Structure formats: C-alpha cells, structure tokens
Amino acid sequence: GPGVSVWSWCFSLVLVFQSGPAPPTVRIVHSGQACNVEEEKYSERVYTIREGETLELQCLVTGHPRPQIRWTKTAGGASDRQGDQAPHNDTLKIQTINRHQGGRYYCKAENGLGSPAIKSIRVDVYYLDDPVITVHQSVGESKEQFYFERTVFLRCVANSNPPVHYTWKRGREGETKILKLKNLRPQDYSDYTCVASVRSVCAIDDKSAHFSLSNRTAPPSIKLLLDDPLVVNPGETVSLVCVASGGDPPPTLMWIRPEGEELPKRSVVNRGTLTIPAVTVDDGGVYSCVASNNVGNSAKKSTTVLVRGLRKGRFWITPDPYHNDDNIQIGREVKISCQVEATPPEELAFGWLKNGRPLRSSERMVITHTDTDVTPGTTNLDIIDLKFTDFGTYTCVASLRNGGSPEISIDVNISSTTVPPELTVPRGRSHLVAQEGDTVDLQCLVSGKPKPIILWSRVEEGGGAAATGHTPMPDGSAQMESYDGVLRISNVTRDMGGTYRCQTSQYNGFNVKPREALIQLVVQFPPTVEPVYTEIRQALGRAFSLTCRLLRAHPARLLRYEWKLGSRLLTVGQFGEQKDDTNYHVRALNREGYGEYTCDITNEAGAGRCTFLVTGKAYAPEFYYDTYGALWQNRPRVYGFKLQWTQMEPNAVDRIVAYRLGIRQVGLTRWWEQEITMDRTIQKGELLTYNLTELVKPESYLVRLTPITHYGEGDTTERIITYSAPVNPHLREFQCGFEDEALCLFSQDKTEEFDWTRHSAATRDTKYTPNTGPSSDHAGSKQGFYMYIETSRPRLEGDKARLLSPTFNMNTKTSSLPGGVAPTYCNVCVHIFGALNVFLRQKGSIVTDTSIWSLSGNQGNRWRQAKVNIHPTAMVLEGVRWVRHRGDIAIDDIAIEEGECKDPPPRVSEPPENT
C-alpha cells in the first residue's frame, strides 16, 4: 500500500586505513568491431572505421578523487581542441563519421594528483569515392580527328583511404592509374571500364567508371552569345548565354565568379544560361563560363557585366594656387572641382550651370574634364581674374550619355562669404571626464562656407601627431564622419579613453591644408578587485586573514576601504601611495565570526567589492569508483553494494561527527535516509567503506552522502550505482549458454588487447569473416549463440581476450556436506581451435589469478567438452592469439555443478605449427 517500500536495505560500516588518493590512469577502448585491415603499426593503436558509421570510444580511468575526463583531437600537425564542444564524459561518440574527422584522439584524465594521464588512439576513416576517367593526348595541336595517330592516356582517379587499386577492362587488364594507347588506331575505339578497389576492407564495395573512346572524342569548346563587356541598366534582367561549340562526350557547362565569389542569390542557371533578374550595381563584375567533359583541358571564356550608375559625388574649392593664401580674393583665380564615380566611365558626361543657366567654356571660365579612361571622373571650372559679377551658385551636373541612372547635381556657392574653414573646440571641452556607462559628446566647432565634413579618429597613446587608424574608434572603424562636428559615444567604457582628433575633410569644402583639433577623454571607473567572491572554511578557535587586492582603478588616488561582517562595520581606512591591498585579521574564530565578510574599495567613480564567505561547512566527500567486487549477492534476489569514499580536507573544519546517507531508486522521488556516526577523527586520504545490504530490487540507485559537523551539514556528493540480476549467482543454479545479451553477467576485461564476441552461425557474415567461428552452437543450432574470439588481422601473436565471470556465492551454510565443509564443484565448458586458459580469481587486499586449466592446439572443427574441479569465487576465461591467424576459440554452455568432475578429459597441447 502507500508508503510501503518495494525494496529494503540495511547497512554496516567498515573503516579501512589506507591511502585513498591516487593519481589517474587511463586506457582507451572501443565499442564495436574494427575493420579487418592491416594496421601500419599496432603500437600506434589504430582504429579503423568505415565512413558513415558510428565511432564510439570509451576512456577507462582509475584514480581518486574521480578524475575529470576531456577528449581532444589532433588533425595533421595542428591541435584541434574542438572548442567548447569537446566532451568531458568518458565516451566519445561521433554519429555518421566522415573522412575529415579521422585523426588522433586523446583522452586526458586529471584529478590534481601528479601529472594528467593521457592516452591516444588514431582513428582511420576508410572510404572510396566514385572514380573519374579523364582523357589526354601526348603532344601536338588538335586536328580534325583529335586523337587519331596520337598517344592517348586514359587516367582514372578515385579518392580513397586506404590507397585504391585500379584495374582496366577492355580485353586487357592491369593495375595502373593510367592506360596508355600508343598511336591510336580505329581498333582502339571501344568502351573502357576502370574499376577502383580497396580490396573490400571495411566491406567497401568496388566502384567503376566507364568511357567510350571513338573518332569523335574531343575536348570541349564554347562560345558566348553576348557582348563583352555587357552594359546594362539597374533593375533589368540579364541573361548570359554560353553554348558548347564542340566536344565529345557533350561537355558540362557552369558559371563561376573570380576567387570563389558566389553567384547572385537571385540568379538562376539553366544549362549554359545564367539569368540575373533585377540586376544591381553589386552584381557587376566578371563572369566565366567553364565547360568540361574530362577530355583534355576545360574550356573557359569570360565576360564583364557593367551596371550603369553614378556614385560618390564630391566637390572642392581651390583658391589661387599661385599665391600663398587660403582665401578667395577678387582679381585672383579660383577653381571649382567636381568628382563622380561612373559605370561605365566612358559614358560619363559633365555640364556646368551658373545660377541655373548653362555655362560654356570661355577665356575666363575654363571648363576641363579628365580622360574617360580615368576613374573617378573629374571636371574643373577655372574662374580667371574673379570679379564681383562672378559671384553666384555654380552647379556641376553629372550624367550618363545613354541614360539608365539619375543625374547627380552638386551646388557650390561662390561669394564674399565663401571662406575656408576654421576648427575650434568649445571652451572647457578639450579635456572631458566621464564615467563608465555614461553617454559623452565630443564637439568641434567648424566655421567657414561651405562647411566641410568633420573626420574623427584616435591618436596613438604617446604618438603625438602620429598617424591615425591604428587605434579603432568606438564603432570599430578607423575613422568616423560627422556633419555637425559632434561625436557621440554611448555607454562609454574604460578602453575608449584617450586622445581624439577632429579634422576637416578635403572634399565638400576648401582644398586647403586640413584644420584639426585634439580632445582628451578621461574615463573614470570604479576599482577592480580580487577576489570578487571566495569561500573560506574554518574551524572554531582558529586564526586566519582575509586579503582584498586592488587590480586597477581610475582615479587611483584617495582610495578608501571599508570592512564589514554582514551589516556590522569592522574597520575603515585609506590606501597609501604604494599599497595595493588591505587585510583583515581574525585571531580566534567564534560562532559569531561565521558569515559574509565584505571589503569595499572606493574612488570617485564607485566601489569594487571583495566578498568572503566564512563557514564551518565540511567539504564534500569524494566517492571511490575503483572498488573491486563492489557488488555481491547473499541470497536469491537480495544484493549488497560496497560504497567507498574519502573526505576532502577533513581537517579544514571541525571534526566530522556523522554522515547522512540518502538513497532512492532512480525515477522515483522517495528518499530513504540513514545517519552514520563517526566516533573518531577522519584522516586525510583515509578510505571509508559502508556496505549497503538488503537491496532487493535490482535497478539504478542515486546515493547521496553529506558530512555533518557541529556547525551543521556540509557539502553533498551524489553518485549512481547500477546493477542487474543475476549477481553472484548460487553455484548449484548456474548454467550459461550466452543466449541472453546480458551474458549471464560475464564481462569483458578491458585491460587486454581485444574482446570476446557473442555470435551465432545464423548471423555470421561468411563473406566478411570466412572460416571464423563454429557452424552451430554446442547444441547444434545455427540460431544458438556462443562466445568466440576473432584472431585475424589486426590481432598479433600473444594478444589476449579475457572474459570475467560473476563472483559466485561460496556460503558454506548452504552446503550439503556435513559440518558446512566447502564442497568441490565441477566447471564444464566446451571450445574449438586455439589456446584457452582458465584462471581462478581470488579477492583480497590484492587480486590474484591462479591457473587451473589450459588447452591449446588444433582440436578439430567440432565442439569438445572440458571439465575441471574448482572452489570458485570467480573465473577468468582467457583466449590467446597463437602463431597463425587460425587461432579462433569458441566457448558455450558453461555450467557449474556441485561434486567432483567425472572423467575429466586430459589437457592437450600441440606444437604451434599444427594450429
């Protein structure tokens, strides 16, 4: 009913005096089967995989505290840390791996003890692309029959890993990339096939390409059905037509732009025609049509698209160049210049108006234009011997002769008020002080007529009149324009402080030496301090000091500090000239001394705060993950788990008096809690053991451990323990035919070179693994499963695969023998081929494996039965790769029966040459 647990548990506590902390060790293993290929060097740990499959690498670590794991990758000679996406868990999984993801992968484990442990494995991704056949002749120009009586080469290329092997077919065969046909004759005209093969590694099928060589075979040629250059108006639809004028096979046509630039997004390509609707100025440029048919060289022809337009109209006034005077004066010369960028430049036409009426060139009004091949185009109006009657408004009009773009008109007023610019900074505005986050206006006053555009830039620190552009403006550019002389900076930051230069532009005004002025901007900011926040663990009665350090501040004078505990003021003071930190000392911590200490360092701009949380909370315990035989079973459906941990910095705070242990089944919300009393001081590195017993539901459990001192609860640590039945089965009940994927709780020893494989004859791929494994299980069923080891490449002589049995219950109370004497058991298993060793594993302070049985040599292609008397706790079944690759081993139907074996077969060993 409600509140009733479906599982129960009890506990026992054991304190183990041993050094818990240990530096990390690491080993990389893989899930799944590597491709059956020859590796370059086995010691390099090369893992081969087919492109498109899933790569899964697992990093097995030991060490205490539990090491942090990080995967990194190198490709070629450069390190690729994969940015923030680098996984921190023990498994690296790449779905649908591609060739570019091959390379060396590193697993790094560190826990702060000793040096980090690093292991690597090189992942080799195998692939084979479709081959491509290209045709070339040796020398000479093309004739009517392009290849006749010439030496012709048919070249076959396919991207692959490992290297590809080529075979040509046309009544002749050979393993070469290039097929040479000398002095081509009509009898050589035929269909040729190139077969590219990586010899079925990773089960990659061969791929082929075909080419039909005939007297029509020729490289491509093309022509463009359009003008060059092609001049169009904005908004029009442009069609670039490219057609093949020769080539067999018929060539493929494509349009490209220089340097890999993309085609306009609105464009449409249909065979050889490129259509650009509503063309814009940005669409102008060079377009190239490329034709290819894999015969000879590609054909390429280009055209230029010019989109009519006028841009960037500017003007400037130049006073009499023969006198050293920037002002316009009666009786002297004055020149008005007008400049416009035009496309195409040869269509640019200029006209001049005075007070709205057309103006023609004369002896006193001289109009000149630059050559049409010079861009941008410029026109000049020279007024010789300026008179009062020449004062007025002069208009420069730029247009394109063939239309397609609106005219540009620029008005320039020449009068007695037309004077060169002067630039000043308002009084009191040449040195500005602002605080971070403010909005500040830098202002330069410009006088003169016409008023020019003001250019703002920054001056390098210490550079005086150094060149601008090296220090970026607030918007990131080298220079900013202002029409009213004001530069507004919003949300100013400390790195925006410095010297700013304003100067007149030499366009849209007088063509005179630029006027300039400097403004100094000082940005004040509150002190930057460290630590911003830190936690300090202390026991009662101890002395300690708190230090708040000043990193930077502006202004850095008249700095004050203020220490508080909560809201209670502790001390205040002022920084000396050379001092950059302040300290607060506690001679003996009492209960009232726990809490949050703050130190505020202030200047005119504000305050920076250091915060120290002084607490008596104990640090978190650190679970020990490398416990051997942590899981066991005392009786059917009742399990136990050995939970081990060390205490982080146990002497930093008051003595830990207890732990609160919580446990709940994953997926449920109800916690069960138990308090574990500690009656003595825990030493640093001491490994604590607590047995969870009476776990009656095999599932995943979340375990939570919290240390308790007189101050209260400390930091909590959690871990998940997972197991599944059967665990440590009763010997009289044990029999395993490997029909279940759980393998009767047998497990792979990941410290050895490779693994055992669960297989059945029905699922065996005889093409991929011929002559591997029995043709049926021990019972004669092709659907039945067994375990075997594959000893073909890349396995080497002496490589081992180990299968670990569960730990068996040796409870003598259940023995049928008088006095509870431990009975003898008979272990039965069967195998074929190869070398098999059986060890008895005993648990203790160290793990020992004792050899109890072995068999090697060729036992024939049939199942054999083996029996051995044991007193087991656990067994190790070890398969060894012998001298030759035919050292496969299979096992099935492992049973443990009470009583001595009857007629156990003898051990057999044969010399290696018979295997």
Side-chain angles (χ1 to χ4, degrees), residues 410-467:
I410 301 173
D411 292 333
V412 182
N413 187 267
I414 301 296
S415 69
S416 58
T417 60
T418 304
V419 294
E422 293 297 332
L423 200 61
T424 59
V425 177
R427 180 183 297 273
R429 300 288 294 174
S430 60
H431 186 88
L432 300 179
V433 177
Q435 295 189 0
E436 277 195 311
D438 289 350
T439 296
V440 60
D441 287 340
L442 281 61
Q443 185 177 18
C444 285
L445 298 177
V446 60
S447 61
K449 184 178 181 181
K451 286 186 179 181
I453 295 174
I454 302 301
L455 304 178
W456 288 91
S457 58
R458 295 183 70 174
V459 179
E460 289 286 337
E461 291 296 328

Side-chain angles (χ1 to χ4, degrees), residues 466-483:
T468 61
H470 298 289
T471 303
M473 295 291 287
D475 67 349
S477 64
Q479 189 172 262
M480 296 174 65
E481 292 184 349
S482 168
Y483 290 87

